[in-house]
Amino acid sequence: MDTQDRTEPVGAHGAPLSVARAEAALVEHYPRLVRLAFITLPPSLGRHRRVLAAHGLVQRALPSVRTRVGRTAAAPAPPALPAQRTAPVESAYVTLRARVLREALVYGKRPGWWPRRGPGPERLRPLLPTVWGLRLFPAAGGADELALEQALSGVDSATRAALALHRVEGLGEEETRQRLAEAGVAEPALALRTAERIGRQVLGEPGEGVRHPLLSGEFDPCFVHTRPTDLLRRRHRVRTAGAALVVAAVAAGVLPVVLGDAPGPPERTAATGTVNASIAGRVLDPRNLVRSADDAWADTSRVDFTVWPARGERRDDLPLLDRALKVWASPARTVRISSTPGAGTQPPTAPPRLLYAGDVDGTAVVLLNDGDRTVRYAEPADSEEPPALDFARTDDADVVTGAALVVTRDGAGTRFLLAPWIDETTTRDLLKPNSPGGKLGVRGDGVTDPVRRPGAGGTCDSWPVLQLRSSELIVEKHAFLLTDLGDLAPVHLTYTPPPGSGAPARQPREATSTAALQTWAHSACHLPSMRGFGVRAVNNWVYAQQTLPEAGGRADWVCTRADTWRGPGRVMVQLHLPSTAPTALGTAVATAEDTASCSRFGQHVLAGAGWRAPKSGTWYLLAAGSRKVLSIEATGGVKADADGPTMAVRAPQGARAELKAKMADGSTLEGLH
């Protein structure tokens, strides 16, 4: 490699750094630098473009300029960095890391043609490396990696860089802030605080062996898989290239005709009523519906309804799509309308996304999404019956809550439209935790066979749920449960195991393990009480286990939390008593509305209940708190106290007591009622 046309960069010690050392550092630490760039770059690029951009930034990190027409433009030297390592290669690595970080932070904030002001060998955004005909993506990780990727997609580049420097590079907090400031971050302290909040929520506390997700293959752009691009679309582009020349030749003659025949505002009909003129035209034109590519979901970090392709045999039926849009914009009085809490019924303000259009069980169904809401238009085959319009709030969906939508629901059951990333589909009965799941048929357009509606007829002799498995292109070995609670989007069921011996608190996990299924068998028949609230997910948290008096066995205290799409949650505390029946319904002992209890923002809970010993018939007051409870005190109808997170004292039948607990941090926790 010719070194005559290179400037001498300033090293970590402020002294000139030889090009040989810089090249040696880049070769030795290439995977580290590419990983840093990949984590920092905007996830909106998609995994393919982000892989290429990360490699491009690192490969151009060598401080150099090319001699052009007898001139050499000297690149300004980067700020001198304080001594951190004594080895020359490590010193060069610090310099290269600073350059990579600066470029990754500003990537995407300026047009591709905009000249760079900082140091670097290119005046325009680099075009290499480039890959034709293939898509590149890192290996899929597990549920932890998926949760981390979702969290990182919602923050800015400075926060992602802070997390990478602190958790991957192992820099201290002060040094991390200093490196961010040198890279041009305006508020490095804020970026680090945000990064640490995400780190604690998703990864855990530093020093607990929690660096694994960031160091996994999910964030390693040096180890990638390949798959072809859309071959059909590629052939179509080749064919249309020739047709474009013909169109260009006659465009001057066609243009006046197009302008003269431009469609006017939608007509007024009995089915739709009067369409608001302010949203007519482009928004209500079915030709302007947004359609995602069939493989868009495999090349993005945002796995939700925005990457669902348009499916169904009537997705190109413009008259049907036109009717659906007009009814949405201005429904007649005869249209049956339903909406979940927080989902407005106002017309769209921009062309919505088409998810599905087809005939299902004699009904023409169109599913649309405008970013915040999913809308279902159902047109019965009997023209005498009015259409139906259902609204549901589905913003901030993810790989699980965006995995299915209800297409039809009738007496025979519910049919779902599955996300394109679902590889395996089964059903199981929550009231039969030891029975394996059964296969569920899926049509070519993604619509499932009917699934029996849970709690149909007002009984609870079974509770069918979907058990789905995501594609390994998204996340490895990831199965999860969804249940129908009456809304367009099925509800995600999760489970949090009881506290272990000193183990750190964990996030809810999928309810597919034996312990999770056994807990849900005792809780499933409480789910009907959560219908009609726009529920997004329900978690069963076994927050305490208590040995009952008089050798009564072990009881589980379970906090069942329902989170809604709007944000507020409601909780129900259950007492699962020892029983020979695996599906004995847990006793609801306390409830609360619009509360943070039993969530990551309210990780402490306390509740109590009366219990009668089977052998002696003696009544007791039982109470239990979460892991940080040091002692419990009862006042009112029962006066007692006990050290530790549980209490059991004799009490009169029906006695009402007020509970409070002393926490490890000295605060007081009031009991739920």
Side-chain angles (χ1 to χ4, degrees), residues 260-349:
D261 294 339
E267 298 179 358
R268 176 173 177 169
T269 65
T272 63
T274 303
V275 177
N276 188 336
S278 65
I279 62 169
R282 188 180 69 89
V283 173
L284 298 183
D285 189 340
R287 294 169 295 182
N288 292 330
L289 287 171
V290 180
R291 300 169 185 250
S292 297
D294 291 344
D295 60 351
W297 61 271
D299 187 31
T300 178
S301 60
R302 181 178 178 179
V303 186
D304 57 15
F305 294 116
T306 62
V307 293
W308 275 40
R311 288 174 288 175
E313 74 279 4
R314 301 185 67 177
R315 61 186 179 273
D316 295 320
D317 187 339
L318 294 183
L320 172 62
L321 300 177
D322 184 61
R323 291 195 298 273
L325 289 169
K326 289 180 179 178
V327 169
W328 181 1
S330 185
R333 293 181 179 179
T334 56
V335 175
R336 296 169 295 167
I337 301 177
S338 69
S339 64
T340 58
T345 59
Q346 68 271 17
T349 58

Side-chain angles (χ1 to χ4, degrees), residues 49 85 95 161 176 298 387 437 523 533 562 586 625:
R49 290 177 59 199
R85 298 172 175 87
T95 301
T176 298
S523 306
F533 292 95

Side-chain angles (χ1 to χ4, degrees), residues 47-49 51-53 55 59 127-137 224-229 234:
R47 291 188 291 178
H48 172 78
R49 290 177 59 199
V51 166
L52 295 180
H55 284 278
Q59 290 173 18
L127 299 178
L128 296 176
T130 300
V131 176
W132 292 89
L134 288 175
R135 308 295 289 178
L136 309 180
F137 53 92
V224 297
H225 296 283
T226 64
R227 64 196 303 264
T229 56
R234 196 189 310 169

Side-chain angles (χ1 to χ4, degrees), residues 621-640:
L621 170 65
L622 305 179
S626 46
R627 57 188 297 128
K628 295 294 182 68
V629 169
L630 297 182
S631 62
I632 300 174
E633 180 183 5
T635 57
V638 180
K639 299 186 183 299

Side-chain angles (χ1 to χ4, degrees), residues 237-260:
R237 286 172 179 170
V238 172
R239 290 174 179 175
T240 55
L245 297 177
V246 178
V247 173
V250 300
V254 174
L255 185 58
V257 178
V258 173
L259 293 177

Side-chain angles (χ1 to χ4, degrees), residues 31-68:
R32 289 173 63 184
L33 292 169
V34 176
R35 187 187 296 266
L36 173 64
F38 183 79
I39 295 173
T40 305
L41 284 167
S44 58
L45 294 173
R47 291 188 291 178
H48 172 78
R49 290 177 59 199
R50 193 151 55 122
V51 166
L52 295 180
H55 284 278
L57 292 180
V58 174
Q59 290 173 18
R60 290 162 178 81
L62 284 176
S64 65
V65 293
R66 292 290 177 183
T67 303
R68 297 183 183 272

